[in-house]
């Protein structure tokens, strides 16, 4: 009697000892993991280590993490899965609806996938979720908000989940969601800072442009007056010279050079305050096609391939097409000039919120880093003397500014330069 009572007690003690050991182990793991989580600000690493730990610790075969859709609070999309084959994973979003969201948030308890599928209801099929049919769903909650769904498939052994497993996963999920929120905040702070830096840089550039523009416009004005006088006298002189006179040839050269000066002065004025042109509703792809038509043969001759990647149904913009043509033409000619021996010019255009983004990306020499902040300045050129005026990009800058847009340049990681133009969508077309 006594012997078997002692045996029972010993068994009980051994069992509770085992449970205690597991608890200590779990707690230790949780402690280690949270410490780890909190030091990881990279979202992908965080998600990966969370899913792997969830799997490893409870011996589950598969796991998945659903996170909120940017557009809809109650919609969750698959962020990552582990232990599933590639072709098993489908891009199906889970639309929870108010009441199911509330229920999960309120109870804050794991439920079985079968039950969850039932609650999603209406005979809808969720192929990916059904792979987890023996598993559990843990709502990830922070500040009474549902921030995600952790899905754990059944155990590899086929056993049911023990209460310890569930407790472990619940605690882990709590730790994770805090770390995730941290990482998200960090990420958005970082982006905000980056944006601020960019605006600041743009501001400095814009201000410098304005100052230089002011000066060059003054000079251009001063030069313009004597130019028109010279022009008159040129005409008079050529009339008074005999057709056969050698001087006529010389005068012809003077005339050509004169035109060049006039063009430069015009461009200078354009940079500062582009000729006010009537703006109308225009389609950017039309403008691009027009200039490509103009310059196609030149590109062919220089072995330059054009790749057009223009989104369909781009909205209108409010613009002066002649001026925008000049901008695009300048960019295409620059790209051609800096792709010696040939290359590819890719012209991309797409809508981003209320803007149209147009990118001219080439496979040429690229722009040395130290020049990036100067290329839009008038007279900045790296072309050999006599080849370039250094006015092309500053004219582009002036015209795009006049369109309430922005233009900037970067180097492609694969080499070559890319010019990005942002133009606001025609106001009445903004939804
Ligand atoms: N696609 C490009 N690839 C490399 N550098 C470029 C490109 N476009 C412009 N640049 C740089 O910007 C400078 C200024 O260009 P721009 O104002 O058009 O004047 P220009 O063409 O007369 O030199 C160029 O001399 C060159 O250094
Ligand atoms: Mg140029």
């Amino acid at each position: 009697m006594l012997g078997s009572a002692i045996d029972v007690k010993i068994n009980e003690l051994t069992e509770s000892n085992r449970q205690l050991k597991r608890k200590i182990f779990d707690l230790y793991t949780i402690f280690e993991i949270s410490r780890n989580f909190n030091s990881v600000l990279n979202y992908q690493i965080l998600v990966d280590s969370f899913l792997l730990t969830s799997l490893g610790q409870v011996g589950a075969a598969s796991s998945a993490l659903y996170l909120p859709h940017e557009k809809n609070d109650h919609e969750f999309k698959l962020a990552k899965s582990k232990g599933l084959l590639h072709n098993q994973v489908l891009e199906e979003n889970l639309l929870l609806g108010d009441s199911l969201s509330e229920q999960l948030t309120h109870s804050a308890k794991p439920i079985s996938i079968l039950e969850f599928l039932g609650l999603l209801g209406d005979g809808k099929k969720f192929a990916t979720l059904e792979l987890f049919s023996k598993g559990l769903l843990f709502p990830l909650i922070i500040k009474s908000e549902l921030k995600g769904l952790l899905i754990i498939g059944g155990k590899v052994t086929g056993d049911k989940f023990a209460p310890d497993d569930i407790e472990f996963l619940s605690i882990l999920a709590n730790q994770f969601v805090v770390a995730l929120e941290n990482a998200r905040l960090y990420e958005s702070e970082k982006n905000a800072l980056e944006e601020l830096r960019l605006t600041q840089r743009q501001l400095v550039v814009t201000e410098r442009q304005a100052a230089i523009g002011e000066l060059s416009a003054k000079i251009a004005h001063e030069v313009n007056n004597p130019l028109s006088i010279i022009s008159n006298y040129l005409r008079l002189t050529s009339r008074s010279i005999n057709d056969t006179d050698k001087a006529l040839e010389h005068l012809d050269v003077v005339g050509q050079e004169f035109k060049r000066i006039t063009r430069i002065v015009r461009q200078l004025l354009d940079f500062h305050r582009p000729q006010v042109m009537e703006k109308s509703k225009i389609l950017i792809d039309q403008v691009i096609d027009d200039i490509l038509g103009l310059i196609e043969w030149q590109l062919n001759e220089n072995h330059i391939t054009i790749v057009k990647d223009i989104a369909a149904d781009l909205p209108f913009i409010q613009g002066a097409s002649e001026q925008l043509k000049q901008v695009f033409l300048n960019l295409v000619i620059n790209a051609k000039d800096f792709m010696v021996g040939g290359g590819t010019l890719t012209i991309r255009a797409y809508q981003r919120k209320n803007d149209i983004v147009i990118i001219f990306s080439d496979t040429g020499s690229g722009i040395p880093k130290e020049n990036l902040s100067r290329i839009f300045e008038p007279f900045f050129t790296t072309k050999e003397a006599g080849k370039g005026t250094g006015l092309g990009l500053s004219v582009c800058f002036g015209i795009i500014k006049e369109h309430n847009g922005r233009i900037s340049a970067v180097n492609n990681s694969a080499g070559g330069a890319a010019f990005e133009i942002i133009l606001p969508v025609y106001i009445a077309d903004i939804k």
Side-chain angles (χ1 to χ4, degrees), residues 334-335 338 362 366-367 375 380-383 388-393 417 419:
N334 277 346
F338 289 95
D362 63 49
I367 303 161
I375 53 172
F380 179 85
T381 177
T382 54
K383 290 181 182 164
T389 56
L391 285 172
L393 285 181
F419 286 83

